[in-house]
């Protein structure tokens, strides 16, 4: 297979990251997009110079000669779309979270196995250069034995109804955004979680500053691993200044800190402001740190390149990006929710 044809299902935020990353691959043709939002669909086709588009993704799967699809739709639709794509014989890249229930994850994995197609979990952070470098350093033994990892994924809150309503998102900030931190910590640690303790805001009127969100706008979890070390996971929609992603690894001989927030080599002052600085930045006036090569910076480009190679050459999917890894991350998030609700530790089987 010299070229691989790709279809994108969805036309909003994540779909754009996928499309830009696919366009960096010389052996990939993005041939069509499918989405329900007509305005978004038209803009997407214009921006990425696509001539084939569908309001019903199932028509795209039937008509187009496509080997792989990216699923970039609301969380609650992941199961339906992934299974339909698998039944059509397409390899699937599914955005995080893999699904909103473990039962849905299992059905998705089974459908892809039965149809002999790959299901790839799009956790981009494990492809981010800074995270990969950090892991290589502590694997050398530079910080001794890792004792605990702190991970934080936060921003000021999404304007999308698909993040605000439980029927679409399946949860609040922890499921919709903080799962980045959970998935990345699991990949860094390479140990199973045996217990979690969780705390969240209450959602809606019980939230810290977002009563319009049906899910929580603040969450934290303490994970205990099988080697009796720990991780502290924290995520919120109350952090101003753009998306903040921090990972700190503490060991017996040192520590490593990765900060995605202000690591840009650019520093800009503008009294007028400009178009875009970084994800979820509320303003571009004053001093700002505009991100450079965002697709590379957060791992999207290398993630998509890897997934293309997996589909094209039948390569093994990288640990952390397998469907089973997405299921494990969801299991931990759901256990944190249960712990917060029941006010007690939850054992992971």
């Amino acid at each position: 297979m010299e070229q691989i044809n790709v279809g994108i299902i969805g036309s909003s935020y994540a779909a754009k990251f996928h499309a830009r990353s696919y366009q960096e691959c010389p052996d990939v043709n993005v041939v069509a997009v499918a989405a329900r939002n007509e305005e978004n669909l038209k803009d997407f086709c214009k921006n990425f110079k696509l001539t084939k588009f569908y309001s019903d993704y199932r028509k795209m799967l039937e008509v187009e000669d496509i080997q792989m699809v990216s699923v970039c739709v609301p969380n609650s639709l992941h199961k339906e779309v992934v299974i339909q794509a698998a039944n059509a014989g397409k390899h699937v890249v599914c955005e995080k979270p893999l699904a909103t229930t473990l039962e849905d994850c299992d059905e998705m994995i089974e459908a892809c196995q039965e149809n002999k197609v790959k299901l790839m979990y799009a956790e981009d952070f494990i492809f981010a250069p800074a995270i990969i470098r950090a892991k290589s350093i502590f694997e050398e033994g530079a910080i001794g034995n890792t004792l605990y990892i702190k991970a934080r994924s936060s921003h000021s809150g999404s304007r999308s109804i698909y993040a605000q309503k439980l029927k679409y998102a399946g949860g609040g900030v922890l499921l919709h955004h903080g799962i980045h931190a959970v998935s990345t910590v699991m990949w860094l640690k390479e140990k199973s979680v045996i217990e979690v303790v969780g705390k969240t805001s209450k959602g809606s009127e019980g939230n810290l500053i977002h009563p319009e969100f049906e899910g929580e706008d603040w969450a934290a979890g303490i994970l205990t691993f099988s080697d009796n070390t720990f991780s502290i996971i924290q995520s919120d929609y109350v952090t101003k200044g753009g998306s903040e992603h921090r990972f700190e690894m503490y060991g017996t001989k040192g520590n490593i800190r990765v900060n995605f927030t202000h690591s840009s080599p650019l520093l800009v002052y503008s009294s007028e402001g400009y178009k875009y600085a970084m994800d979820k930045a509320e303003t571009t006036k004053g001093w700002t740190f505009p991100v450079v090569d965002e697709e590379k910076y957060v791992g999207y480009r290398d993630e998509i390149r890897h997934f293309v190679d997996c589909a094209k050459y039948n390569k093994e999917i990288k640990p952390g990006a397998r469907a089973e890894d997405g299921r494990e991350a969801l299991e931990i998030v759901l256990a944190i929710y249960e712990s917060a609700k029941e006010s007690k530790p939850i054992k992971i089987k």
Side-chain angles (χ1 to χ4, degrees):
M1 189 190 307
E2 291 185 5
Q3 293 285 122
I4 186 165
N5 293 333
V6 170
I8 296 178
I9 303 174
S11 60
S12 295
Y13 179 79
K16 294 173 183 176
F17 271 111
H18 283 239
R20 286 193 291 267
S21 297
Y22 281 125
Q23 288 184 340
E24 293 292 325
C25 302
D27 53 348
V28 171
N29 290 323
V30 179
V31 297
V33 58
R36 293 176 178 175
N37 187 307
E38 184 176 348
E39 184 178 351
N40 280 357
L41 190 58
K42 289 180 178 178
D43 288 343
F44 193 92
C45 291
K46 180 181 178 181
N47 290 336
F48 296 103
K49 298 179 173 58
L50 296 178
T51 59
K52 295 181 179 180
F53 54 91
Y54 300 84
S55 59
D56 186 337
Y57 74 91
R58 291 168 295 188
K59 295 295 184 182
M60 183 182 77
L61 296 176
E62 291 173 3
V63 175
E64 295 296 340
D65 178 21
I66 288 171
Q67 289 79 48
M68 184 166 80
V69 297
S70 273
V71 175
C72 305
V73 297
N75 304 341
S76 60
L77 296 177
H78 286 185
K79 171 192 169 183
E80 170 197 317
V81 177
V82 167
I83 290 176
Q84 290 284 347
N87 289 340
K90 317 301 183 187
H91 298 294
V92 185
V93 175
C94 184
E95 260 299 329
K96 56 80 188 165
L98 188 64
T100 57
T101 71
L102 296 178
E103 292 77 14
D104 285 357
C105 288
D106 292 337
E107 289 186 43
M108 293 157 65
I109 292 170
E110 183 180 359
C112 289
Q113 290 174 342
E114 288 180 351
N115 287 282
K116 295 181 173 55
V117 296
K118 294 183 183 294
L119 176 55
M120 295 163 276
Y121 173 55
E123 178 44 68
D124 53 298
F125 283 5
I126 67 169
F127 294 90
I131 293 291
I132 291 173
R133 181 64 177 135
K135 185 173 183 179
S136 71
I137 290 171
F138 84 70
E139 284 181 339
E140 289 181 24
I143 65 170
N145 296 324
T146 305
L147 303 174
Y148 77 101
I149 301 175
K150 291 170 61 178
R152 170 181 167 90
S153 289
S154 303
H155 58 67
S156 59
S158 173
R159 293 181 291 273
S160 171
I161 190 174
Y162 298 113
Q164 296 180 13
K165 302 297 183 182
L166 288 175
K167 68 177 181 179
Y168 301 123
V173 64
L174 184 64
L175 178 61
H176 196 68
H177 188 62
I179 201 163
H180 274 307
V182 174
S183 296
T184 304
V185 164
M186 296 300 296
W187 179 72
L188 288 168
K189 184 64 181 174
E190 295 185 352
K191 297 288 183 182
S192 59
V193 174
I194 59 173
E195 182 183 90
V196 305
V197 175
K199 184 74 173 178
T200 71
S201 61
K202 301 302 181 182
S204 192
E205 296 301 325
N207 275 340
L208 297 182
I209 61 172
H210 287 291
E212 73 276 18
F213 280 61
E214 293 179 353
E216 79 286 349
D217 66 357
W218 184 94
I222 300 174
L223 314 184
T224 302
F225 291 96
S226 56
D227 61 355
N228 289 316
T229 61
F230 305 95
S231 179
I232 301 171
I233 304 290
Q234 197 270 312
S235 186
D236 65 67
Y237 284 148
V238 305
T239 298
K240 304 294 185 181
S243 289
E244 181 174 307
H245 303 287
R246 298 174 184 264
F247 297 88
E248 302 176 8
M249 290 153 275
Y250 294 86
T252 54
K253 297 181 180 178
N255 58 76
I256 301 172
R257 302 179 187 184
V258 180
N259 181 2
F260 281 6
T261 312
H262 298 308
S263 59
S264 172
L266 285 183
L267 176 62
V268 174
Y269 180 86
S270 173
S271 59
E272 297 296 321
Y274 52 99
K275 187 175 180 181
Y276 183 84
M278 64 182 299
D279 180 37
K280 300 299 188 298
E282 295 88 1
T283 182
T284 57
K285 293 183 178 181
W287 288 106
T288 54
F289 298 83
V291 68
V292 177
D293 197 0
E294 192 165 22
E295 280 76 27
K296 180 73 174 180
Y297 172 69
V298 298
Y300 268 115
R301 188 179 300 165
D302 290 341
E303 170 193 66
I304 292 298
R305 178 66 260 175
H306 173 69
F307 290 157
V308 168
D309 288 345
C310 288
K312 187 175 180 180
Y313 303 113
N314 195 30
K315 288 187 175 181
E316 293 294 320
I317 303 169
K318 175 179 177 175
R322 301 167 300 195
E324 293 78 8
D325 301 312
R327 186 192 188 282
E328 185 177 27
L330 177 63
E331 183 178 19
I332 292 167
V333 167
L334 295 179
I336 291 173
Y337 282 156
E338 184 181 355
S339 173
K341 181 180 179 180
E342 301 293 335
S343 297
K344 66 178 184 181
I346 300 297
K347 300 290 184 182
I348 304 291
K349 297 178 182 179

